[in-house]
Amino acid sequence: QVQLIESGGGLVQAGGSLRLSCAASGRTLSSYAMGWFRQAPGKERDFVTSISRLGGRKIYSDSVKGRFTISRDNAKNTVYLQMNSLKPDDTAVYYCAAVFSSLDIATSGEYTYWGQGTQVTVSS
């Protein structure tokens, strides 16, 4: 019901910045909490951040607090992840995800729809 297409991944030096975008089709995002996850080679897929359906609530993993910012533009059906002060440990495939939400809450829990992932590589 929801298709997610990511863009903005690439190669960046440590200390640099990158912005990821996740554009949705099939449904408007106004009723969906959105999240970003990442998976480094040989590691589990980890939660990064989430934003509530109306954008009023956000949560971040401890590893990215103060460096990453999640935002959304429901009129454009797009969610963004602004990544600053990037570190080599941030290197991973980044996935956006969506879950229907009847309340304006962010969640690190279960998600229903997933993007295909976009590679972010941070050089030292």
Side-chain angles (χ1 to χ4, degrees):
Q1 298 184 71
V2 178
Q3 296 81 46
L4 305 174
I5 302 175
E6 300 167 332
S7 62
L11 176 65
V12 65
Q13 291 188 12
S17 298
L18 205 61
R19 189 176 79 159
L20 306 183
S21 299
C22 180
S25 62
R27 295 286 190 277
T28 60
L29 292 182
S30 60
S31 295
Y32 292 83
M34 300 295 298
W36 287 94
F37 292 74
R38 66 186 183 184
Q39 186 170 26
K43 297 184 178 181
E44 301 286 342
R45 183 159 61 188
D46 291 329
F47 170 77
V48 176
T49 182
S50 175
I51 186 168
S52 61
R53 66 178 192 173
L54 300 180
R57 300 179 185 274
K58 304 173 183 178
I59 53 176
Y60 297 92
S61 67
D62 290 340
S63 62
V64 305
K65 283 183 179 177
R67 300 188 299 119
F68 290 11
T69 303
I70 189 170
S71 62
R72 68 192 301 162
D73 186 341
N74 285 346
K76 296 181 178 180
N77 236 24
T78 302
V79 177
Y80 305 95
L81 180 63
Q82 179 66 46
M83 304 184 293
N84 299 326
S85 301
L86 283 163
K87 306 174 181 179
D89 285 348
D90 295 319
T91 296
V93 177
Y94 283 71
Y95 300 88
C96 64
V99 62
F100 178 81
S101 179
S102 59
L103 301 174
D104 189 28
I105 58 172
T107 180
S108 61
E110 297 181 2
Y111 283 82
T112 305
Y113 305 101
W114 294 83
Q116 79 288 342
T118 184
Q119 177 70 47
V120 172
T121 302
V122 184
S123 62
S124 60

